[in-house]
Amino acid sequence: MKGKFITFEGIDGAGKSSHVDWLADYLRQRGKVVHITREPGGTALGEKLRELLLNQAMHLETETLLMFAARREHLAELIEPALARGEWVVCDRFSDATYAYQGGGRGLDRAKFLALEHWVHEHLQPDLTLLFDLPLDVARERIVRAHRVLDKFEQERVDFHDRVRQAYLERASGNPSRIRVVNAENSIDHIRKQLEKIVLTIC
Ligand code: TMP
């Protein structure tokens, strides 16, 4: 029996990461074996690439290729073997992030995105993607309130983040059964109840 692959997505400051651990615990209580992971990252090599990707300026195509290189490693080392064993994988970002950030945000040619997606995971898409959506000014305020050093993407201008948000919403409207939009302005309790309901549809 194949396991399930759930991804979390959203603009920076959407607060998705705080729900990843909660969802994994919820699934474990229901008897699932669950791996929590993230992109870019999730493997020793992927975490090294993450360090570069989040801090080093580079050509758009270099950035995109490194995102997919880290993803190929992540799939081979962790995601595909876990799913084959019937285990669940909860991943903080996946290819929808490349579509939104490199495609929407930076203007990467869609054909190049599709070619890489096809190459790296032709036969695999998440079973469920939770897209945390909220207005840009609310997301920005959350980032500022966190008082930490901002990475390369968080330092981008508001119009970049607006294009990322629009690309995510467009991707969601093209894949309505896989990508479920969650209003990230709602309270934590409200969001958890909604996540519970959505996730039960694939349990
Ligand atoms: P995180 O802070 O949510 O862990 O995400 C790291 C940053 O990397 C975030 O700003 C989005 C960006 N990113 C991309 O630009 N493309 C991608 O394919 C992925 C996975 C992340």
Side-chain angles (χ1 to χ4, degrees), residues 59-69 98 102 108 116:
H59 188 278
L60 167 58
E61 292 187 359
T62 312
E63 185 174 276
T64 308
L65 288 163
L66 287 180
M67 289 290 180
F68 271 104
T98 317
Q102 281 65 50
L108 178 83
L116 286 170

Side-chain angles (χ1 to χ4, degrees), residues 130-146:
L130 299 160
L131 172 57
F132 285 69
D133 182 60
L134 79 177
L136 291 184
D137 53 338
V138 182
R140 186 61 19 192
E141 205 185 297
R142 287 183 183 178
I143 292 173
V144 171
R145 230 187 300 135

Side-chain angles (χ1 to χ4, degrees), residues 5 39 64-77 79-80 94-96 98 111-126:
F5 183 29
E39 290 207 350
T64 308
L65 288 163
L66 287 180
M67 289 290 180
F68 271 104
R71 186 160 297 137
R72 183 59 251 163
E73 189 72 9
H74 196 198
L75 283 158
E77 204 177 292
I79 300 172
E80 289 169 342
F94 192 63
S95 289
D96 297 317
T98 317
K112 288 185 176 159
F113 168 82
L114 290 173
L116 286 170
E117 185 186 43
H118 186 79
W119 181 9
V120 170
H121 56 97
E122 184 184 353
H123 301 296
L124 181 82
Q125 280 294 348

